Amino acid sequence: MNHQHTNTFKKFIRYFWIAISGKETEFTSGSIRKAIFMLSIPMILEMLMESIFALVDIAYVSKVSVNAVATIGLTESVITLVYALAIGLSMAATAVVARRIGEKDVDGARIAAVQAIGLGLVISISIGIIGIIYAQDILALMGGEPDLIAEGYGYTQFMIGGNITVVLLFLINAIFRGAGNASIAMWALVLSNGLNIILDPMFIFGFGPIPEMGVKGAAVATNIGRGTAVLFQLGILFFGWGKIKLMIKDLVLDFKVMFNLIKISMGGIAQFLIGTSSWIFLMRIMSEFGSEVLAGYTIAIRVMMFTLMPSWGMSNAAATLVGQNLGAQQPDRAERSVWKTGKYNAYFMGTVSLGYLIFANTIISWFNTTPKVVESGALCLQIIALGYIFYAYGMVMTQAFNGAGDTRTPTKINFISFWLFQLPLAYISSLVLGWGATGVFVAITLAEILIAVLAMIWFKKGKWKKVQV
């Protein structure tokens, strides 16, 4: 028995190493289980890097001042719009590149990659100019006090002005993922976040010849970290070992491919905006119950985000598998890949939900020991965890539609579940029926269950198999 365990462990280590070194990129044949593992591991690590990055940033900046933390909060809420565009374009890039790779049309994948990067450049430079000129007005519009604006506008200027780094980082990683090179995407984020963790304190508090910049230093460090990672990505695209290799002759505009990318990305942008706007409304409802309840909710959501990262990694793997297998004319293999990924995700999320149900109070009290904060946060974790297994399937199915290039179906599902169902239910149950914060938590859980049910029904209809990208 022990011998068998040792063999399984050795096999796991071998596959893990292959997955992060990126030796395998062909996922249209062979074991589906192995394909899910090979794609999920680097994507899960990539997602975890993102969440560590967010935590480190806040940890350093919170040593500067309360205004500095508030500046990040206000700027982030504006930058979500940039993220929406970047994520929408990234979904389109992954779908088109994966489909071409599945069709064995590497030239087509190269053309799509160039058009996606071209679009990203145009969008981010336009937004960057607005950010540099109007940083103070943007903070004022978001309700920043004059002293906050005076201290923090440099941060906003650098973050929105330098949004080209985050847009290209997202986009080029999406191209790598579509091509099956998920490990390159992971290493790009390891580089960007590693640099950020080292540079953050240097630029915020000053180091040697570097002057103390306060909150603005966080933005400078972030842009240097991301910018370096973008140069690393471009190096691999032109000279590296990835499946897609660009040459100077590829750098031409192809409006047909470009409009196709814009068309697919519209659904991705809409999905993201529907999701984030509903979170903003929920925050607004939660603020009615006082800052301690709101703090508990905020901590609970941060904790959940951290454990959702592996789940998102698996869902991204499903998107690549669907795109590549549809390109290889294997719709049934694409469908089997999705159900299998959903099952593995449900195992993972089921385990996490048990942890939340049993240890919710302990987990929240690591972050804050105020009794009301702990009570509210723990209740939030426990109620939302009840829908986690549904959430596992909902996430995978949604990404499967996106991977097929059918970004409209998830948009419809989000619209029905978030705007028509979750928000009215949260408002009525918490404020009209007087359930308080519990009403909001119940609305979140029921909406996630609805997403999973609608996604499964539409997925089984199979229209996504016929989408042309």
Side-chain angles (χ1 to χ4, degrees), residues 38 71 98 135 141 148-149 158 168 203-204 207 221 234 281 322 356 377-378 388 390 403 405 413-414:
M38 289 295 172
T71 302
L141 195 70
L148 179 144
I149 296 171
F158 265 91
L168 288 184
F203 282 94
I204 293 172
F207 181 81
L234 291 171
F281 280 116
V322 166
Y356 284 164
Y388 253 28
F390 287 93
I413 293 172
N414 278 2

Side-chain angles (χ1 to χ4, degrees), residues 128-290:
I129 293 168
I130 296 169
I132 291 167
I133 300 171
Y134 297 110
Q136 288 167 305
D137 304 304
I138 289 169
L139 284 176
L141 195 70
M142 293 300 293
E145 303 285 324
D147 60 330
L148 179 144
I149 296 171
E151 184 183 336
Y153 83 92
Y155 175 84
T156 309
Q157 229 170 12
F158 265 91
M159 285 307 282
I160 302 179
N163 80 88
I164 187 166
T165 57
V166 75
V167 170
L168 288 184
L169 193 62
F170 268 34
L171 251 187
I172 301 175
N173 270 354
I175 292 164
F176 287 140
R177 280 198 295 266
N181 295 125
S183 68
I184 303 177
M186 176 197 80
W187 289 113
L189 274 190
V190 168
L191 174 64
S192 109
N193 293 342
L195 273 174
N196 183 63
I197 289 167
I198 297 163
L199 296 176
D200 242 358
M202 291 184 180
F203 282 94
I204 293 172
F205 308 114
F207 181 81
I210 302 167
E212 184 180 337
M213 293 187 191
V215 66
K216 181 167 124 184
V220 176
T222 301
N223 277 327
I224 294 174
R226 284 176 175 160
T228 309
V230 170
L231 294 176
F232 164 76
Q233 290 173 320
L234 291 171
I236 287 173
L237 276 179
F238 283 97
F239 312 106
W241 66 90
K243 201 153 203 174
I244 295 178
K245 238 191 171 123
L246 298 183
M247 321 218 174
I248 299 298
K249 69 174 173 58
D250 295 322
L251 304 181
V252 285
L253 293 179
D254 183 322
F255 288 108
K256 190 173 164 228
V257 176
M258 203 177 254
F259 283 124
N260 185 29
L261 282 166
I262 292 171
K263 196 176 79 191
I264 299 169
S265 62
M266 284 303 167
I269 293 168
Q271 279 170 53
F272 187 79
L273 289 179
I274 289 169
T276 42
S277 59
S278 63
W279 278 113
I280 292 167
F281 280 116
L282 289 179
M283 271 291 190
R284 180 69 195 81
I285 296 172
M286 287 298 295
S287 66
E288 294 288 317
F289 310 116

Side-chain angles (χ1 to χ4, degrees), residues 51 54-55 275-276 278-280 282-283 286 293-309 312 352 356 360 363-364 367 373-374 376-385 388 391 418 422 437 440-445 448:
S51 49
L55 292 174
T276 42
S278 63
W279 278 113
I280 292 167
L282 289 179
M283 271 291 190
M286 287 298 295
V293 173
L294 185 61
Y297 171 70
T298 308
I299 292 169
I301 296 298
R302 280 283 159 94
V303 169
M304 282 177 174
M305 285 302 175
F306 204 75
T307 49
L308 284 180
M309 292 299 168
W312 271 327
V352 172
Y356 284 164
I363 295 169
I364 301 293
F367 297 89
V373 173
V374 174
S376 147
L379 188 65
C380 180
L381 274 186
Q382 287 168 328
I383 293 176
I384 296 179
Y388 253 28
Y391 197 46
F418 288 140
Q422 185 189 62
V440 176
F441 307 151
V442 169
I444 293 172
T445 306
E448 295 304 346

Side-chain angles (χ1 to χ4, degrees), residues 76-91:
E76 279 291 307
S77 42
V78 178
I79 288 185
T80 29
L81 298 173
V82 179
Y83 285 159
L85 294 168
I87 286 170
L89 251 182
S90 302
M91 280 179 189

Side-chain angles (χ1 to χ4, degrees), residues 4-176:
Q4 192 185 348
H5 276 312
T6 314
N7 276 350
T8 311
F9 183 68
K10 276 184 182 162
K11 201 170 167 186
F12 174 82
I13 294 295
R14 195 174 87 243
Y15 281 168
F16 185 87
W17 179 246
I18 295 171
I20 61 169
S21 61
K23 291 197 174 70
E24 212 160 302
T25 55
E26 161 55 36
F27 301 109
T28 54
S29 58
S31 155
I32 292 178
R33 197 161 87 181
K34 186 177 162 194
I36 294 169
F37 182 83
M38 289 295 172
L39 280 168
S40 296
I41 291 295
M43 289 183 188
I44 288 168
L45 293 172
E46 187 188 341
M47 290 292 176
L48 285 173
M49 286 305 299
E50 265 305 301
S51 49
I52 289 168
F53 170 76
L55 292 174
V56 168
D57 233 22
I58 283 288
Y60 284 132
V61 171
S62 58
K63 291 192 173 66
V64 179
S65 69
V66 174
N67 270 349
V69 178
T71 302
I72 289 191
L74 295 180
T75 308
E76 279 291 307
S77 42
V78 178
I79 288 185
T80 29
L81 298 173
V82 179
Y83 285 159
L85 294 168
I87 286 170
L89 251 182
S90 302
M91 280 179 189
T94 299
V96 176
V97 169
R99 187 72 67 100
R100 298 294 164 267
I101 293 290
E103 290 164 355
K104 304 276 184 277
D105 174 10
V106 180
D107 288 345
R110 278 214 307 266
I111 293 166
V114 171
Q115 306 318 306
I117 294 169
L119 272 171
L121 284 171
V122 172
I123 292 168
S124 56
I125 291 170
S126 318
I127 293 170
I129 293 168
I130 296 169
I132 291 167
I133 300 171
Y134 297 110
Q136 288 167 305
D137 304 304
I138 289 169
L139 284 176
L141 195 70
M142 293 300 293
E145 303 285 324
D147 60 330
L148 179 144
I149 296 171
E151 184 183 336
Y153 83 92
Y155 175 84
T156 309
Q157 229 170 12
F158 265 91
M159 285 307 282
I160 302 179
N163 80 88
I164 187 166
T165 57
V166 75
V167 170
L168 288 184
L169 193 62
F170 268 34
L171 251 187
I172 301 175
N173 270 354
I175 292 164
F176 287 140

